[in-house]
């Protein structure tokens, strides 16, 4: 009975069999569609968040006011760091939504969130209701998780080696995001 159960769970099906990187199969699994849903929702919301800073749309304050806010946090020149932060959120979000250069997109979002935690939310504890790091942690972890698992088959990255996800891709995203955050915080 145990042998039958183990054999059954190891047998790949047409919708769950792993395709070689760079190949497209006719079927997609629920996990591919689930990853697409996560990527689109999360990525487009992050792109919108960046667009608020850069363009002043979706109720955002735009680059001039965002730059003043960054300057008040100690980032000099504030407008330059507002552009960097806004572009990181905008392009990182679009990259995750499309599944395009997923490790780089995740690194951009992780770097911005580490900075947000270090300069704005870290002093307020965990929960968002107290102004804490909860939101920033969730963003960084989702970006890292998508990179580790891979963006799925319904993605531009399916044609590239990093499109399958894995430890190296996750380590790259976390390392690059951390290094970028450390450099930014040291300036």
């Amino acid at each position: 009975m145990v042998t039958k159960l183990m054999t059954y769970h190891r047998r790949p099906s047409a919708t769950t069999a792993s395709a070689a990187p760079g190949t497209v199969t006719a079927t997609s699994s629920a996990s591919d569609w689930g990853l697409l849903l996560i990527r689109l929702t999360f990525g487009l919301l992050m792109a919108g968040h960046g667009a608020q800073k850069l363009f002043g749309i979706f109720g955002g304050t735009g680059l001039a006011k965002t730059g003043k806010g960054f300057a008040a946090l100690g980032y000099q020149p504030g407008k330059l760091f507002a552009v960097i932060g806004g572009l990181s959120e905008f392009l990182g979000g679009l990259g995750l939504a499309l599944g395009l250069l997923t490790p780089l997109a995740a690194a951009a979002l992780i770097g911005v969130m580490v900075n947000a935690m270090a300069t704005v939310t870290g002093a307020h504890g965990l929960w968002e209701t107290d102004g804490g790091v909860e939101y920033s942690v969730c963003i960084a972890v989702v970006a890292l998780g998508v990179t580790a698992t891979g963006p799925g088959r319904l993605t531009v990255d399916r044609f590239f080696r990093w499109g399958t996800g894995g430890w190296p891709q996750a380590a790259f995203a976390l390392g690059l995001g951390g290094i970028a955050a450390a450099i930014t915080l040291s300036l």
Side-chain angles (χ1 to χ4, degrees):
M1 172 92 163
V2 173
T3 305
K4 280 186 176 180
L5 185 61
M6 289 173 62
T7 303
Y8 174 78
H9 285 292
R10 287 192 317 222
R11 188 177 336 143
S13 69
T15 59
T16 60
S18 296
T23 62
V24 180
T25 59
T27 60
S28 57
S29 68
S31 64
D32 292 321
W33 287 97
L35 280 166
L36 178 64
L37 178 64
I38 290 168
R39 285 191 355 260
L40 284 175
T41 303
F42 178 75
L44 292 176
L45 286 172
M46 288 309 304
H49 196 70
Q52 290 176 319
K53 290 176 176 66
L54 294 170
F55 313 118
I57 57 176
F58 308 125
T61 59
L63 201 50
K65 286 187 180 179
T66 302
K68 289 179 184 176
F70 272 69
L73 291 170
Y75 294 101
Q76 298 297 332
K79 192 170 183 178
L80 173 65
F81 283 98
V83 168
I84 293 168
L87 281 174
S88 294
E89 291 174 347
F90 184 70
L91 295 176
L94 288 179
L96 278 184
L98 295 171
L100 176 62
L101 303 173
T102 301
L104 286 175
L109 295 175
I110 290 167
V112 170
M113 291 305 111
V114 169
N115 271 277
M117 288 183 268
T119 59
V120 180
T121 60
H124 303 286
L126 177 61
W127 301 112
E128 177 67 28
T129 53
D130 299 324
V133 298
E134 172 187 7
Y135 177 69
S136 299
V137 168
C138 288
I139 291 170
V141 168
V142 168
L144 183 61
V146 168
T147 303
T149 61
R153 240 183 299 180
L154 305 172
T155 175
V156 177
D157 278 348
R158 73 178 178 266
F159 298 110
F160 303 103
R161 183 179 339 157
W162 60 82
T164 58
W167 289 115
Q169 292 81 353
F172 174 82
L174 186 59
L176 183 59
I179 290 168
I183 290 169
T184 303
L185 289 168
S186 69
L187 298 176

